[in-house]
Amino acid sequence: MTYTRRETLVIGAGGIALLAVTPAMASAVEEAVAAFTGGAAVTDGGVEITAPEIAENGNVVPIEVSAPGAEEIMVLATGNPSPPVCSVSFGPGSASQRLSTRIRLARTQDVLAMARMSDGSFVQATRAVKVTIGGCGG
């Protein structure tokens, strides 16, 4: 997976805003993914992200990530100045492999969840979240 600079035009009640994922943010996402996967291939599916389509306040965005059979789940906010959000490991006695938390999103962006499965494979899912009031000073 390679992230490149991307710009999105958002038109809302307050007018027009141009949002961009800078090369530094893309690099931070790529580094986090490489550290998590060790360079292994990642496939789509096997992970479910539940998050609001529109978050009125980026300071407290509720998310839930579920990946049955996962040993570890990592969550990234791809448009934040510091994309890594959390990494949660699950032991053999875990009843389920899911996490629920509230995260801070600086602006409209994708939330990326990756899971290392018990067979050593890696899976991912992405969820777009539109933020009306940024949570990182935006």
Side-chain angles (χ1 to χ4, degrees):
M1 169 188 315
T2 302
Y3 282 88
T4 57
R5 180 177 173 92
R6 144 186 103 147
E7 296 182 346
T8 306
L9 182 63
V10 179
I11 301 174
I16 298 175
L18 187 61
L19 305 175
V21 173
T22 67
M25 287 177 198
S27 177
V29 170
E30 289 172 0
E31 288 173 11
V33 169
F36 185 72
T37 65
V42 181
T43 58
D44 289 326
V47 178
E48 183 179 329
I49 302 173
T50 305
E53 183 177 329
I54 298 173
E56 291 184 19
N57 185 345
N59 280 313
V60 287
V61 180
I63 67 163
E64 184 175 307
V65 180
S66 175
E71 291 182 342
E72 187 173 6
I73 296 174
M74 175 182 67
V75 179
L76 300 169
T78 62
N80 276 3
S82 179
V85 172
C86 68
S87 182
V88 177
S89 297
F90 301 95
S94 297
S96 66
Q97 293 75 34
R98 69 180 197 151
L99 65 96
S100 179
T101 189
R102 295 183 185 279
I103 65 174
R104 180 176 284 182
L105 298 178
R107 65 183 109 208
T108 297
Q109 62 185 283
D110 290 335
V111 174
L112 170 67
M114 302 185 83
R116 179 173 38 87
M117 305 306 284
S118 58
D119 65 1
S121 65
F122 293 88
V123 293
Q124 70 179 7
T126 304
R127 172 85 167 146
V129 180
K130 297 174 187 171
V131 177
T132 57
I133 299 173
C136 297

